[in-house]
């Protein structure tokens, strides 16, 4: 057995079982690919589940996940969106698409509802310039 125990992430959107499993076994609860409103509901449920079993809710790291598509200008956003098959004008829920400030603002919305960690899905793994742009232009804008 590893000491300390390996970190366990429990994720999902179930209303009862998932928060209970996270409260009981996880070091992190991940509400991936949900809009911020549903993420907030899941975080509330996870906190309640912690309290029900006598765990301090602050000991459970809360995280969310989103697909991201960022560009330095609108043309670059459109090019990246096309490469992964999304319409940048119709993004919703947990698809974050836009210029660096727009992407940061959306990611900060998850922070505002309690996410301490964001897991970002980047679908075109060959586009290393995308990763560099996120690191250089979006990361500094996150609160």
């Amino acid at each position: 057995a590893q000491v300390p125990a390996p970190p366990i992430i429990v994720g999902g959107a179930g209303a009862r079982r998932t928060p209970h499993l996270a409260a009981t076994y996880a070091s992190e609860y991940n509400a991936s690919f949900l809009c911020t409103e549903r993420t907030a509901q899941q975080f509330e449920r996870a906190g309640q589940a912690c309290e029900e079993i006598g765990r301090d809710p602050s000991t459970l790291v809360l995280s969310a996940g989103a697909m991201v598509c960022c560009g330095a200008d609108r043309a670059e956003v459109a090019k990246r969106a096309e490469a992964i098959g999304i319409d940048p004008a119709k993004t919703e829920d947990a698809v974050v698409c836009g210029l660096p400030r727009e992407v940061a603002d959306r990611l900060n919305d998850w922070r505002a509802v309690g996410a301490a960690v964001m897991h970002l899905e980047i679908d075109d793994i060959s586009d290393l310039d995308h990763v560099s742009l996120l690191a250089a232009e979006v990361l500094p804008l996150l609160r």
Side-chain angles (χ1 to χ4, degrees):
Q2 181 177 328
V3 176
I8 295 173
I9 300 173
V10 170
R16 291 187 330 247
R17 187 178 314 170
T18 303
H20 177 74
L21 289 171
T24 305
Y25 300 108
S27 51
E28 180 177 331
Y29 170 62
N30 182 262
S32 281
F33 308 105
L34 300 175
C35 66
T36 54
E37 293 81 16
R38 288 204 51 220
T39 298
Q41 290 172 343
Q42 287 301 108
F43 288 170
E44 176 77 19
R45 290 174 178 145
Q48 289 171 350
C50 285
E51 290 173 357
E52 288 169 8
I53 65 165
R55 178 178 179 175
D56 178 355
S58 71
T59 65
L60 182 63
V61 174
L62 301 175
S63 65
M67 177 189 288
V68 67
C69 176
C70 185
D73 56 38
R74 295 286 175 209
E76 192 170 75
V77 171
K79 177 183 169 195
R80 287 198 169 112
E82 182 179 357
I84 61 173
I86 63 171
D87 180 350
K90 293 185 178 180
T91 58
E92 56 191 46
D93 291 339
V95 177
V96 180
C97 193
L99 302 175
R101 168 54 70 186
E102 295 164 336
V103 169
D105 288 348
R106 285 284 313 281
L107 296 176
N108 282 324
D109 290 344
W110 275 280
R111 166 83 85 197
V113 299
V117 175
M118 281 300 296
H119 297 276
L120 301 181
E121 177 182 330
I122 301 169
D123 281 1
D124 185 354
I125 62 172
S126 67
D127 185 358
L128 298 181
D129 290 337
H130 190 200
V131 177
S132 294
L133 178 68
L134 292 167
E137 301 293 329
V138 175
L139 186 60
L141 301 173
L142 300 178
R143 295 181 225 120

